[in-house]
């Protein structure tokens, strides 16, 4: 063996030892090959040898390579972890869950410290610990954010700078700092301290860093209570307008129950029914009736027959599925169904 080959072999063995010891360390978390190169400060001249090191570790069963991430695995032992990808659902208390790709398996529980920079709705990559199962299910740790669900945020301005403003947005009850970049051209309405704004996110940043954004819409000042509802609508991404297809479908049923609508349905309109909703209700979809029978009384509970008008996979069904429910504010209702149905045939 030549001196050059001997030197490369020593370098290979040294890198092999250092890399494996680093991966086996207690505080190691699975990371990309690029991140390993950076952490171990591999010189560009030694990248080819480092590739051989990773190949050797993989072939000997000491590490796993999954989605370009390097996971530790002791030789001869059962796999202790795996990586999955899925949407994150975050609880108000800070922990979260990611659905398992296998519907027969339980969701992955993400403790609050391992949420990292993800927020509710993000598609995330999760390292699942197959050895740790809490009362909430298998535990996992978010490795990376595959895609962000939200493109906009609602924030309140607390300071104005020369070229940018500073604000706070609420992300699941926690304050998060935002730097608002001013537009190249001066806005007709300059921002003031206390303004509520809808922002387009430019750069999310990290948990310890500010998010960078631009103003999409000025909602109003926090001193004005009428801004509470529009701010809540934007912040919760509540759909307020119905697509034309859903409205046209609702209009197609008309305003009165037709003869065709009575087919295969029992007509109870001759029974005296009374609503249990108050005068201030936005719709009347619950009612009671009481009739005398031979054996006493019959109590009827009547619910609006929404399923008759909202057919599976129809435009109304798709929109209702996105909304899930009607949303009520003081003096205002955002209905699940267009008013042509919710205030009439289904009321």
């Amino acid at each position: 063996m030549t001196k050059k080959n001997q030197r490369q072999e020593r370098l290979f063995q040294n890198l092999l030892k250092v890399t494996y010891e680093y991966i086996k360390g207690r505080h190691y978390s699975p990371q990309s090959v690029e991140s390993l190169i950076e952490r171990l400060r591999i010189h560009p001249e030694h990248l080819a040898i480092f590739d051989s090191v990773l190949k050797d570790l993989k072939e000997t069963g000491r590490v796993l390579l999954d989605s370009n991430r390097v996971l530790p695995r002791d030789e001869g032992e059962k796999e202790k972890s795996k990586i999955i990808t899925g949407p994150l659902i975050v609880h108000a208390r800070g922990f979260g869950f990611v659905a398992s790709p296998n519907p027969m398996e339980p969701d992955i529980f993400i403790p609050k410290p391992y949420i990292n920079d993800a927020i509710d709705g993000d598609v995330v990559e999760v390292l699942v610990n197959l050895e740790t199962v809490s009362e909430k299910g298998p535990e996992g740790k978010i490795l990376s954010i595959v895609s962000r669900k939200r493109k906009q945020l609602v924030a309140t301005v607390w300071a104005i700078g020369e070229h940018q403003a500073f604000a706070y947005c609420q992300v699941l009850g926690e304050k998060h700092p935002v730097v608002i970049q001013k537009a190249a051209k001066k806005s007709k309405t300059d921002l003031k301290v206390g303004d509520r704004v809808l922002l387009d996110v430019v750069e999310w940043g990290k948990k310890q860093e500010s998010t960078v954004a631009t103003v999409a819409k000025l909602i109003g000042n926090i001193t004005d209570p009428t801004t509470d509802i529009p701010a809540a609508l934007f912040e919760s991404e509540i759909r307020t307008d119905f697509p034309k297809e859903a409205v046209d479908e609702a209009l197609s049923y008309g305003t009165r129950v037709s003869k065709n609508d009575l087919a295969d349905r029992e007509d109870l309109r001759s029974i005296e029914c009374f609503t249990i909703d108050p005068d201030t209700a936005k719709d009347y979809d619950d009612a009671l009736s009481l009739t005398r029978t031979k054996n006493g009384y019959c109590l009827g509970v009547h619910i609006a027959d929404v399923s008759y008008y909202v057919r599976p996979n129809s435009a109304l069904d798709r929109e209702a599925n996105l909304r899930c429910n009607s949303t009520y504010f003081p003096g205002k209702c955002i209905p699940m169904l267009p008013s042509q149905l919710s205030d009439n045939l289904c009321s």
Side-chain angles (χ1 to χ4, degrees):
M1 181 181 294
T2 65
K3 288 185 178 181
K4 182 179 179 181
N5 289 339
Q6 288 177 348
R7 186 168 64 85
Q8 288 183 332
E9 179 62 23
R10 284 197 302 270
L11 181 59
F12 173 84
Q13 294 299 332
N14 287 337
L15 277 178
L16 185 67
K17 181 179 180 180
V18 170
T19 303
Y20 186 50
E21 290 299 323
Y22 175 72
I23 293 173
K24 283 202 311 180
R26 287 181 57 190
H27 301 294
Y28 174 79
S29 61
Q31 52 199 265
S32 67
V33 173
E34 291 76 12
S35 179
L36 265 180
I37 292 172
E38 183 179 347
R39 294 290 181 87
L40 295 174
R41 298 181 180 179
I42 305 298
H43 195 278
E45 292 181 1
H46 302 151
L47 290 179
I49 296 178
F50 187 68
D51 286 341
S52 300
V53 166
L54 292 181
K55 183 178 180 181
D56 183 275
L57 290 173
K58 179 183 178 183
E59 290 177 349
T60 55
R62 285 177 283 180
V63 302
L64 292 172
L65 286 177
D66 188 346
S67 300
N68 195 38
R69 294 188 181 275
V70 183
L71 292 77
R73 185 174 71 176
D74 294 334
E75 186 174 0
E77 286 191 359
K78 182 182 177 181
E79 185 179 348
K80 297 178 181 179
S81 59
K82 66 177 180 179
I83 293 177
I84 68 166
T85 300
L88 171 68
I89 299 175
V90 181
H91 189 275
R93 287 164 56 189
F95 58 82
F97 293 90
V98 174
S100 171
N102 185 347
M104 302 303 293
E105 295 179 354
D107 293 344
I108 310 303
F109 171 62
I110 313 295
K112 185 176 180 179
Y114 299 139
I115 291 288
N116 293 330
D117 302 321
I119 63 174
D120 188 67
D122 287 348
V123 176
V124 295
E125 191 178 49
V126 177
L127 174 68
V128 183
N129 188 336
L130 300 179
E131 294 187 319
T132 303
V133 179
S134 69
E135 59 181 10
K136 292 183 173 67
E139 288 195 5
K141 173 182 180 180
I142 293 178
L143 298 175
S144 66
I145 298 168
V146 178
S147 63
R148 293 281 190 181
K149 178 190 177 184
R150 303 200 63 162
K151 308 296 182 185
Q152 294 183 314
L153 292 171
V154 173
T156 304
V157 177
W158 62 267
I160 305 292
E162 184 177 353
H163 300 293
Q164 56 192 18
F166 304 92
Y168 279 123
C169 68
Q170 295 287 336
V171 180
L172 294 169
E174 296 185 3
K175 282 188 175 181
H176 185 74
V178 182
V179 173
I180 303 175
Q181 296 177 334
K182 289 189 176 181
K185 294 183 179 179
K186 193 171 182 180
S187 173
K188 292 181 181 179
T189 54
D190 289 334
L191 293 179
K192 301 183 294 294
V193 172
D195 279 346
R196 281 172 158 168
V197 286
L198 177 66
L199 303 175
D200 289 327
V201 176
V202 176
E203 177 59 49
W204 279 96
K206 299 294 182 182
K207 196 168 187 178
Q208 297 79 13
E209 301 173 356
S210 297
T211 294
V212 179
T214 58
V215 176
K217 181 181 180 64
L218 174 63
I219 300 172
N221 198 274
I222 198 170
T223 57
D224 181 2
T226 63
T227 64
D228 290 347
I229 292 178
L233 291 173
F234 285 124
E235 191 166 14
S236 301
E237 296 185 306
I238 296 174
R239 300 167 68 87
T240 56
D241 298 323
F242 286 91
K244 184 177 183 301
E245 294 81 1
V247 174
D248 289 345
E249 197 171 286
L251 289 171
S252 69
Y253 289 108
T255 58
R256 303 179 70 86
V257 178
S258 67
K259 291 183 178 180
N260 292 334
D261 292 335
L262 297 177
D264 299 322
R265 301 169 77 200
E266 188 175 359
D267 190 351
L268 301 175
R269 288 177 293 177
S270 61
I271 299 176
E272 185 172 353
C273 295
F274 51 94
T275 180
I276 59 176
D277 289 319
D279 291 340
T280 56
K282 298 301 177 184
D283 50 39
Y284 298 96
D285 50 15
D286 302 280
L288 298 176
S289 65
L290 192 64
T291 55
R292 188 189 296 272
T293 67
K294 293 180 180 179
N295 300 319
Y297 291 91
C298 176
L299 174 66
V301 179
H302 305 267
I303 307 296
D305 194 2
V306 175
S307 62
Y308 177 80
Y309 300 100
V310 183
R311 305 297 173 86
N313 299 318
S314 64
L316 287 169
D317 185 38
R318 292 192 297 271
E319 184 64 21
N321 186 55
L322 291 172
R323 296 181 180 231
C324 296
N325 52 261
S326 297
T327 304
Y328 294 89
F329 294 97
K332 186 179 182 67
C333 171
I334 309 298
M336 183 176 66
L337 300 174
S339 59
Q340 291 82 358
L341 283 179
S342 59
D343 294 348
N344 189 32
L345 290 175
C346 294
S347 182

